[in-house]
Amino acid sequence: AENEPSWETPCTKLLVYVSTPGCDGFPSLESNESYKLSVSKGSMLLSAETIWGALRGLETFSQLVGRDENGTYYINETEIVDFPRFPHRGLLLDTSRHYLPLKAILETLDVMAYNKFNVFHWHIVDDPSFPYESSTFPELSKQGAFNAMTHVYTASDVRSVIEYARLRGIRVIAEFDTPGHTLSWGPGAPGLLTPCYIGKAPSGVYGPINPIVNSTYEFVTSLFQEVSAVFPDFFLHLGGDEVDFTCWKSNPEIRAFMVEMGLGQDYKKLESFYIQRLLDIVSSLGKGYIVWQEVFDNDVKLRPDTIIHVWKENNLQYLNEMANITRSGYRALLSAPWYLNRISYGQDWIEAYKVEPLMFEGAPEQKALVIGGEACMWGEYVDVTNLTPRLW
Amino acid sequence: RYYEYIFGHSRRRTWGRRPLAARAEPELFQLQVVIEAADPGCDRHPQLASSEAYHLTVTEPVAILKAPEVWGALRGLETFSQLVHEDDCGSFLVNESEINDFPRFAHRGVLLDTSRHYLPLKSILINLDAMAFNKFNVLHWHIVDDQSFPYQSIYFPELSDKGAYSSNLIYTPTDVRLVIEYARLRGIRVIPEFDTPGHTQSWGKGQKDLLTPCYNGGQPTGSFGPVNPVWNTTYDFMTKFFKEISSVFPDEFIHLGGDEVDFSCWKSNPEVKEFMKKQGFGIDYAKLESYYVQNILDIVSSYNKGQMVWQEVFDHKAQLKPDTVVQVWMANNYARELSRVTGAGFTAVLSAPWYLDYISYGQDWKKYYSVEPLNFSGSEEQKKLLIGGEACLWGEFVDATNLTPRLWPRASAVGERLWSSSNVTNLQDAYKRLTNHRCRML
């Protein structure tokens, strides 16, 4: 039934105008997400430079529409000019500690879009499991997944995620974390991980990727060749965090290598040796890379366009880290105060909200190197039964 | 429903395998359930004194589950369902077993708070299912509080009309009956809590002249405090209200609350101050609180209901009935409180170490599991007065979107602590069984 309008004339159309075509492309770090929204009598116009801005504007528009007691949808006259402060606004999901079914990932992408997130950082494999089905190395998931039939991401699954994300203006940055965090790689890639020793004999236990054998670099080249083709984003996350040196130290071949290369007792140098070669491989594949902060902290030689991911949280130390990274001319990504897996009682959203990423000493050009941040939902205690209420 | 639990999620069904050929092992054809008492209790409600013991013999061709009362049979069915497992080919297997089981503590409860956030019926029922999987036998329904009054009262419909969050966020008499029956079929008692005199802001919306008007400088401020203990109308109301509650909820006990009473409003009110003088309470407002509580205890007693109260009622020295159950919730030095409560001859229920709403990162189930309820100083008789405990999930930050993953399987640790023998304490073993149990519950 028609109500007697106490409102203005009804609006029936939201015109969306995008100046640069690009609906078939992928969003990138440089994408322009700005938009203008004009709502006035009889006309509603959303205009944006790119389709990515239009998506953000659509989300805003959807939040402006209200419904009154009669069920009538209404919207206030509005003039909005909006654009993001930081271009990299990400969310990390961990599908190794616990497998997350495709539906859970897609649902997360939906909620990310409601919150204008634009990067899905897929920490896809780690110590506990290897769910990524590799076409080059099918044994990796066959031997390394929790269940090779039910707890894997097929090539089709991965494509679904990438496309679902793209349609929401979300970049998918895959992380294949090495040389640590790789226990699940071992069963499907014999000879890849370092055999640990007790005295003169192998203990049967394995450690990080073995950095001294050529086969490692052949393997890594092939794997990242595939990964670079599968994931269209310019950036890959290469990990590089929390490398435990004990196993390397225990291995006589590695100890010999250290002597041979004149690295002394400094295993950080061995780690750097591996990482540098990895970075070169990935560069030659035409990809940029993001690494966890240890790679920077341990003085690895990095390309100038490397992005350093700050995660260590110790009494606001992360602000110093951000200062150091940007002072050295690298771009920085902040996650340290946003480890959402670390739950606590009460309204902890307030602490996360109060974070000011640029609260460190530095020139404006330095601060411009902070490209954004990521909320992290590590999976040690998270699976599909509790992901959504824990994250949102 | 246990048939469905055991065989319903068959891998064979989901993988569409053909029926199996005959196997060499002995086959179990039947589980016979025998209830020994002349009156098995199937039509009645479980009580504190009900027997939950059972004897389970699994052997071919017929397994026998014997229990004195139907409540024990329910516990035994749950155990049996946990013994049956499916192998990779889709065959269901169970080991030959002989089990003689009974709970260590008779009161094993979960508290749900439906006032801070309304919980839809479905949420409550799912939770009752989970409780049954963990042999919990008491639902402590903290149904109303400051924030909202979702209980639809027959005598006082305005209470929920004005006090609920909205007209559809209420529990009708039908809803309440459903919860009670659903619980009963799982051997779970429903103990409602109508917490007074504090925690009653929402009552004042639908019941004029129940709460104490607060004063500032001789003038009412417009805000209200706890229930007014000096007016006769208060007790007239409570008499009628608890008459309804006593008939709606069949359990022998009603929880009357009595926690966290803020005296500042009473102190500001001239009538209350006058009353204090007349009664000779001096400036000890705990005496006024006890005066109020004693009256309520008398009212509820007259309806032949036992009473449960929070520890403050005992701490502030109100005169309790001999069978009043005191619920110990304050975390600081709760062992000492248990000694005091049982030392004074009262029955106690422990919640202090089991506030599951206090979430924290990591495997906190371990700290709940490691609680030894009888670790307090007292004689043998005293320790018998600790009848059990309750895991509490207060609702400030909980609603239907996160209730289940927040409560479970953490509450399972409490469930085992309250049912199993005191020497079942190995964390590694518990971890293995808990992870299996969690998958089973899913």
Side-chain angles (χ1 to χ4, degrees):
Chain A
E2 309 270 38
N3 321 348
E4 202 54 77
S6 57
W7 311 93
E8 301 298 337
T9 41
C11 309
T12 54
K13 269 207 287 252
L14 171 69
L15 282 173
V16 182
Y17 176 72
V18 176
S19 41
T20 323
C23 294
D24 300 319
F26 285 90
S28 74
L29 181 58
E30 293 75 34
S31 294
N32 183 334
E33 293 175 282
S34 64
Y35 66 90
K36 288 203 178 84
L37 186 58
S38 278
V39 176
S40 60
K41 287 186 228 215
S43 131
M44 303 192 293
L45 176 64
L46 165 60
S47 62
E49 195 67 41
T50 68
I51 184 67
W52 317 117
L55 288 172
R56 304 300 166 235
L58 264 177
E59 175 56 37
T60 298
F61 179 79
S62 77
Q63 295 185 18
L64 293 174
V65 176
R67 202 168 184 197
D68 68 13
E69 326 82 64
N70 300 325
T72 311
Y73 294 99
Y74 67 88
I75 183 169
N76 287 348
E77 254 192 70
T78 318
E79 275 304 310
I80 293 179
V81 175
D82 195 13
F83 57 91
R85 180 181 178 199
F86 292 105
H88 183 122
R89 305 179 307 282
L91 187 74
L92 178 151
L93 283 188
D94 170 359
T95 58
S96 172
R97 274 57 182 263
H98 285 92
Y99 179 77
L100 291 175
L102 199 59
K103 191 162 151 212
I105 298 179
L106 301 185
E107 193 177 85
T108 303
L109 289 169
D110 277 332
V111 192
M112 282 172 67
Y114 301 154
N115 291 273
K116 297 191 173 73
F117 277 99
N118 66 357
V119 174
F120 170 41
H121 173 166
W122 194 349
H123 188 90
I124 187 169
V125 298
D126 201 299
D127 282 331
S129 74
F130 196 105
Y132 171 75
E133 243 180 29
S134 160
S135 53
T136 323
F137 300 105
E139 287 297 306
L140 284 172
S141 61
K142 265 223 204 104
Q143 308 280 345
F146 281 134
N147 181 313
M149 298 249 276
T150 56
H151 288 53
V152 287
Y153 301 108
T154 62
S156 160
D157 292 334
V158 174
R159 274 196 298 271
S160 300
V161 170
I162 293 172
E163 178 62 4
Y164 201 88
R166 188 186 79 84
L167 292 172
R168 287 152 184 74
I170 297 171
R171 303 162 54 201
V172 178
I173 299 183
E175 176 182 351
F176 284 83
D177 192 351
T178 69
H181 287 281
T182 44
L183 285 179
S184 67
W185 302 43
L192 178 68
L193 303 185
T194 310
C196 312
Y197 275 66
I198 297 188
K200 300 260 177 65
S203 64
V205 169
Y206 294 86
I209 287 185
N210 193 329
I212 71 173
V213 289
N214 283 334
S215 51
T216 287
Y217 300 100
E218 281 154 26
F219 172 86
V220 158
T221 303
S222 301
L223 180 66
F224 278 97
Q225 210 156 32
E226 173 188 320
V227 169
S228 299
V230 168
F231 292 93
D233 197 83
F234 175 68
F235 285 93
L236 284 176
H237 200 302
L238 304 178
D241 61 315
E242 297 181 312
V243 185
D244 183 355
F245 297 146
T246 346
C247 187
W248 283 352
K249 287 180 183 170
S250 77
N251 183 298
E253 285 178 47
I254 292 190
R255 283 203 302 267
F257 183 83
M258 291 288 285
V259 171
E260 197 188 307
M261 303 293 285
L263 302 180
Q265 286 298 308
D266 192 356
Y267 281 79
K268 284 199 198 149
K269 296 212 170 93
L270 181 59
E271 181 191 76
S272 303
F273 173 83
Y274 166 84
I275 299 266
Q276 251 140 230
R277 288 184 70 172
L278 172 66
L279 299 184
D280 287 341
I281 289 168
V282 173
S283 278
S284 69
L285 292 168
K287 293 291 197 191
Y289 40 74
I290 309 177
V291 289
W292 294 109
Q293 67 180 77
E294 285 96 320
V295 174
F296 169 80
D297 296 341
N298 294 349
D299 289 318
V300 177
K301 221 167 46 190
L302 301 169
R303 260 193 3 196
D305 60 351
T306 311
I307 297 175
I308 316 285
H309 200 159
V310 178
W311 69 271
K312 289 183 171 179
E313 154 71 306
N314 189 1
N315 241 336
L316 298 182
Q317 273 308 305
Y318 67 83
L319 290 169
N320 286 343
E321 183 75 1
M322 302 278 280
N324 292 340
I325 290 169
T326 52
R327 200 182 313 117
S328 305
Y330 299 107
R331 282 175 294 181
L333 207 52
L334 182 61
S335 280
W338 291 324
Y339 265 35
L340 303 192
N341 54 310
R342 299 200 136 258
I343 58 172
S344 59
Y345 178 69
Q347 296 199 53
D348 52 359
W349 69 273
I350 295 177
E351 284 314 299
Y353 193 80
K354 288 208 268 206
V355 171
E356 175 35 71
L358 300 185
M359 203 165 67
F360 58 88
E361 296 277 313
E365 310 80 64
Q366 229 184 298
K367 300 206 174 182
L369 292 173
V370 177
I371 58 170
E374 290 187 359
C376 297
M377 185 47 76
W378 294 103
E380 285 87 347
Y381 304 105
V382 175
D383 68 8
V384 70
T385 66
N386 63 356
L387 172 68
T388 303
R390 189 162 290 201
L391 191 47
W392 305 103
Chain B
R1 66 178 176 273
Y2 271 97
Y3 187 89
E4 189 58 33
Y5 290 150
I6 297 171
F7 305 109
H9 302 286
S10 162
R11 264 176 267 164
R12 171 154 48 109
R13 271 211 226 155
T14 43
W15 290 355
R17 291 242 165 92
R18 288 159 281 113
L20 301 163
R23 287 173 66 121
E25 297 101 322
E27 203 172 323
L28 181 67
F29 288 98
Q30 211 179 54
L31 170 67
Q32 261 182 23
V33 181
V34 178
I35 300 178
E36 292 161 322
D39 175 7
C42 297
D43 297 320
R44 276 176 297 104
H45 289 88
Q47 303 179 318
L48 181 60
S50 296
S51 164
E52 292 175 282
Y54 65 91
H55 189 110
L56 178 62
T57 308
V58 179
T59 182
E60 59 119 5
V62 170
I64 302 192
L65 168 59
K66 256 200 220 149
E69 294 177 20
V70 68
W71 319 114
L74 289 172
R75 305 299 167 235
L77 264 177
E78 175 57 37
T79 298
F80 180 78
S81 77
Q82 297 189 16
L83 294 173
V84 178
H85 52 280
E86 201 180 348
D87 73 6
D88 294 326
C89 305
S91 307
F92 290 96
L93 303 172
V94 61
N95 285 349
E96 253 193 60
S97 326
E98 182 85 25
I99 295 179
N100 221 328
D101 196 13
F102 57 90
R104 180 181 178 199
F105 293 103
H107 183 119
R108 306 179 306 282
V110 168
L111 179 152
L112 286 187
D113 170 1
T114 58
S115 171
R116 274 59 180 265
H117 284 92
Y118 180 78
L119 292 176
L121 213 52
K122 192 165 151 201
S123 250
I124 300 178
L125 301 183
I126 290 178
N127 199 67
L128 286 168
D129 280 331
M131 285 171 65
F133 299 153
N134 292 273
K135 297 191 173 75
F136 277 100
N137 66 357
V138 173
L139 172 66
H140 174 165
W141 193 351
H142 187 91
I143 187 169
V144 299
D145 201 298
D146 281 330
Q147 285 84 345
S148 73
F149 196 105
Y151 172 76
Q152 189 176 54
S153 159
I154 303 155
Y155 288 153
F156 302 100
E158 295 271 289
L159 285 171
S160 60
D161 274 353
K162 301 268 164 55
Y165 279 132
S166 75
S167 54
N168 59 333
L169 298 183
I170 60 171
Y171 302 107
T172 63
T174 309
D175 294 334
V176 173
R177 270 195 295 271
L178 177 54
V179 170
I180 293 171
E181 179 63 6
Y182 200 90
R184 188 186 77 84
L185 293 172
R186 286 152 183 76
I188 298 172
R189 302 163 53 201
V190 177
I191 300 182
E193 177 184 347
F194 287 89
D195 191 352
T196 69
H199 286 280
T200 44
Q201 289 297 298
S202 66
W203 299 50
K205 307 256 167 66
Q207 184 68 16
K208 294 276 155 284
D209 303 327
L210 177 66
L211 305 183
T212 313
C214 311
Y215 276 66
N216 192 349
Q219 292 304 319
T221 63
S223 56
F224 298 87
V227 170
N228 196 320
V230 318
W231 293 331
N232 285 335
T233 48
T234 292
Y235 302 105
D236 294 338
F237 168 83
M238 291 297 172
T239 302
K240 200 156 177 220
F241 184 76
F242 279 104
K243 180 165 187 224
E244 173 184 322
I245 301 306
S246 301
S247 76
V248 167
F249 291 91
D251 196 79
E252 334 154 76
F253 281 85
I254 299 181
H255 200 302
L256 303 174
D259 61 315
E260 299 182 311
V261 184
D262 182 353
F263 297 149
S264 34
C265 186
W266 282 352
K267 287 180 182 170
S268 76
N269 182 297
E271 271 184 85
V272 175
K273 284 197 289 226
E274 183 59 42
F275 186 83
M276 288 285 286
K277 251 206 303 210
K278 263 211 307 225
Q279 294 283 327
F281 291 155
I283 50 162
D284 188 357
Y285 282 78
K287 292 207 167 93
L288 179 60
E289 180 196 274
S290 300
Y291 167 87
Y292 167 84
V293 167
Q294 265 148 222
N295 281 331
I296 303 301
L297 293 177
D298 284 340
I299 290 170
V300 173
S301 254
S302 74
Y303 296 126
N304 272 322
K305 293 289 193 185
Q307 308 97 41
M308 271 185 80
V309 292
W310 294 109
Q311 68 180 76
E312 287 97 316
V313 172
F314 167 82
D315 295 340
H316 295 167
K317 304 195 189 357
Q319 242 187 27
L320 306 174
K321 309 276 171 234
D323 55 355
T324 307
V325 179
V326 178
Q327 189 162 8
V328 175
W329 68 273
M330 293 176 161
N332 199 2
N333 223 332
Y334 66 83
R336 199 144 75 94
E337 182 72 0
L338 286 177
S339 300
R340 279 197 289 243
V341 169
T342 55
F346 294 106
T347 340
V349 159
L350 179 62
S351 281
W354 292 321
Y355 264 35
L356 302 199
D357 56 315
Y358 285 150
I359 59 171
S360 59
Y361 179 67
Q363 294 197 51
D364 54 359
W365 71 273
K366 290 186 182 172
K367 77 171 179 232
Y368 302 134
Y369 192 78
S370 304
V371 171
E372 174 34 69
L374 296 185
N375 259 358
F376 64 92
S377 21
S379 63
E380 285 286 313
E381 293 76 57
Q382 251 180 279
K383 302 221 170 172
K384 289 209 188 93
L385 292 174
L386 180 58
I387 57 170
E390 289 186 1
C392 298
L393 195 72
W394 295 103
E396 284 85 348
F397 303 105
V398 175
D399 68 8
T401 66
N402 63 357
L403 172 72
T404 304
R406 188 162 288 201
L407 188 51
W408 307 99
R410 291 152 80 227
S412 300
V414 180
E416 176 156 306
R417 179 52 49 234
L418 290 172
W419 175 282
S420 296
S421 156
S422 60
N423 59 358
V424 178
T425 53
N426 185 305
L427 283 170
Q428 280 96 303
D429 178 66
Y431 177 81
K432 281 196 216 117
R433 291 181 292 104
L434 183 58
T435 44
N436 275 347
H437 184 54
R438 174 180 178 265
C439 291
R440 191 168 41 225
M441 288 198 285
L442 292 173

